[in-house]
Amino acid sequence: MVSVSDTAGGAEAHTVALGQGMRQRGHDVVLYGRCPGWDEQGLTRREIGLGPKWSRRTMATGLLRVPLERHRTQVIPESSIYYLQFKREQIALTAPLARRAPVVWTEHGRWLGGPTGRLLLAGYARAAEHVARVVCVSEAVAADLEPVVGRDKLVVVPNAIDTERYVDPPAAARASLRERLLPARFQDRRVAVLAARLHVGKRHERAIAAARASGSALLVVGDGPDRERLERLAGGSPDVHFTGYRQDVADLLAASDFYLYCGAETDGTPTCVLEAAACGLPIVAFRGDPGTELVQGCGGLLIDDPAELTAEKAGSLLELRGGGVAYVEQCHSRRNWLDAYERVFGECLA
């Protein structure tokens, strides 16, 4: 794997889960670069001096670094498969690596719009000439890429979660989690939760407004560049509690009553929805957001505007608890997901 990121998010969690799962199945896995959570799992990693992940802020200097970074791939030893996940690695490093072994990409989200998206698309199309397979997390993501990559290279493998970690606990265990983890003022309240990286593109202010409209308390789990703005919008309300980054997300989900999902326009298959549903939570999502098709399987409610989530509707959600557990286990389990990746890698080697 060749990947550099210093921010914990869904793609990074995907990288760690894939590396860990492949190792448990007997494959040798080495990461060249950096990824939050990788070292904590005891996985093998080597630093090769790649610059920061490409973003609007780092793009200009990142493009200037491409010749140097291509040169640095020479220290990566021969491998059966090279796996790349972010645009910099895909666009800049695929061609030199593909001369030595098949290259596989994963695409997590819808294609970027605007000038940045158009600029990346040209380089992406050239790099795709050298890729063996592109794994897409949804059919919508695959549809975006088909005109550029060609359908023969695209494979859809929906995101998955660890269904042994994210579970709907018995009532007594859930009551204990609520007492231990929730603020005292939330103990006898209906509690909504969101657990995600706090980024302005996800428009999490809608979750705050929806919780208020329904008279529910809101637990905001996670951190990110939009936290300060969201805290200002909450205005110090005792009904909204920001936890910051937490490692006990599964327990916090299980202690809550329903999940409020807000997605950015580039999201693919949101793992936060799968995790919440596996913990028994009904999902409230906004029409037009990517990934809202999951609500049909996970159980919940689609709304157009936060004000639609009345106290009566929020109360009726509690009757849907546990409705998505079987769906997640059947369609988004880690076991099936790893099986699919092994098939993809095997096809590339055949």
Side-chain angles (χ1 to χ4, degrees):
M1 295 181 163
V2 184
S3 179
V4 170
S5 177
D6 296 306
T7 303
E12 290 77 11
H14 181 286
T15 300
V16 175
L18 184 59
Q20 186 179 32
M22 290 292 117
R23 186 184 66 174
Q24 289 172 346
R25 293 187 173 205
H27 303 286
D28 293 327
V29 181
V30 181
L31 173 68
Y32 291 87
R34 300 184 302 278
C35 180
W38 188 271
D39 294 342
E40 290 81 349
Q41 294 299 324
L43 297 166
T44 305
R45 184 175 70 86
R46 302 284 183 268
E47 182 60 69
I48 58 171
L50 298 180
K53 180 180 175 181
W54 280 0
S55 66
R56 287 180 175 87
R57 181 177 55 83
T58 64
M59 182 70 69
T61 56
L63 291 171
L64 293 175
R65 290 176 58 91
V66 166
L68 173 63
E69 295 188 340
R70 284 178 173 165
H71 177 74
R72 286 182 171 167
T73 63
Q74 295 177 12
V75 306
I76 300 176
E78 296 296 324
S79 181
S80 301
I81 294 282
Y82 295 111
Y83 173 85
L84 311 179
Q85 184 160 250
F86 295 120
K87 295 297 181 291
R88 181 268 304 279
E89 290 85 357
Q90 293 168 347
I91 292 172
L93 308 182
T94 293
L97 290 173
R99 299 187 191 108
R100 300 154 65 183
V103 174
V104 175
W105 299 347
T106 290
E107 287 302 333
H108 292 272
R110 307 296 302 274
W111 195 261
L112 291 168
T116 302
R118 290 192 293 272
L119 174 64
L120 287 173
L121 192 61
Y124 191 91
R126 289 193 296 272
E129 297 174 6
H130 305 281
V131 74
R133 290 288 189 280
V134 181
V135 179
C136 304
V137 302
S138 71
E139 290 289 352
V141 172
D144 284 351
L145 298 181
E146 186 170 355
V148 178
V149 177
R151 187 69 207 190
D152 59 319
K153 292 185 177 182
L154 299 176
V155 182
V156 175
V157 179
N159 280 337
I161 64 166
D162 184 352
T163 50
E164 294 182 3
R165 178 183 178 192
Y166 292 90
V167 297
D168 185 11
R174 180 168 173 262
S176 177
L177 288 172
R178 287 177 69 92
E179 183 177 359
R180 177 167 60 88
L181 296 174
L182 298 185
R185 63 187 185 276
F186 284 12
Q187 293 294 324
D188 298 320
R189 301 282 303 281
R190 181 175 56 240
V191 178
V193 61
L194 72 85
R197 182 168 181 262
L198 303 182
H199 189 279
V200 66
K202 296 180 182 290
R203 297 174 291 164
H204 285 126
E205 65 272 8
R206 295 176 295 168
I208 295 174
R212 283 177 164 169
S214 69
S216 304
L218 175 63
L219 198 65
V220 181
V221 183
D223 213 337
D226 201 34
R227 177 172 174 173
E228 184 178 344
R229 182 183 74 94
L230 293 172
E231 287 180 330
R232 288 199 305 270
L233 287 173
S237 169
D239 291 339
V240 183
H241 178 67
F242 290 81
T243 72
Y245 174 76
R246 295 284 289 261
Q247 293 188 323
D248 56 348
V249 174
D251 289 341
L252 288 163
L253 290 173
S256 303
D257 293 306
F258 67 93
Y259 191 88
L260 279 165
Y261 166 64
C262 303
E265 63 180 8
T266 56
D267 283 356
T269 303
T271 54
C272 60
V273 170
L274 301 176
E275 291 167 353
C279 290
L281 302 190
I283 311 299
V284 176
F286 293 85
R287 287 189 183 88
D289 283 4
T292 52
E293 68 276 3
L294 291 174
V295 176
Q296 181 176 358
C298 294
L301 176 68
L302 286 176
I303 59 177
D304 292 300
D305 185 85
E308 290 182 34
L309 189 63
T310 62
E312 181 180 1
K313 288 181 178 179
S316 66
L317 287 170
L318 305 187
E319 301 173 6
L320 302 177
R321 187 175 185 93
V325 173
Y327 166 78
V328 175
E329 173 65 35
Q330 181 178 356
C331 300
H332 295 278
S333 72
R334 187 69 56 79
R335 179 184 63 256
N336 294 339
W337 178 74
L338 290 170
D339 287 345
Y341 265 95
E342 280 193 314
R343 285 195 297 272
V344 171
F345 294 148
E347 290 168 1
C348 293
L349 296 172

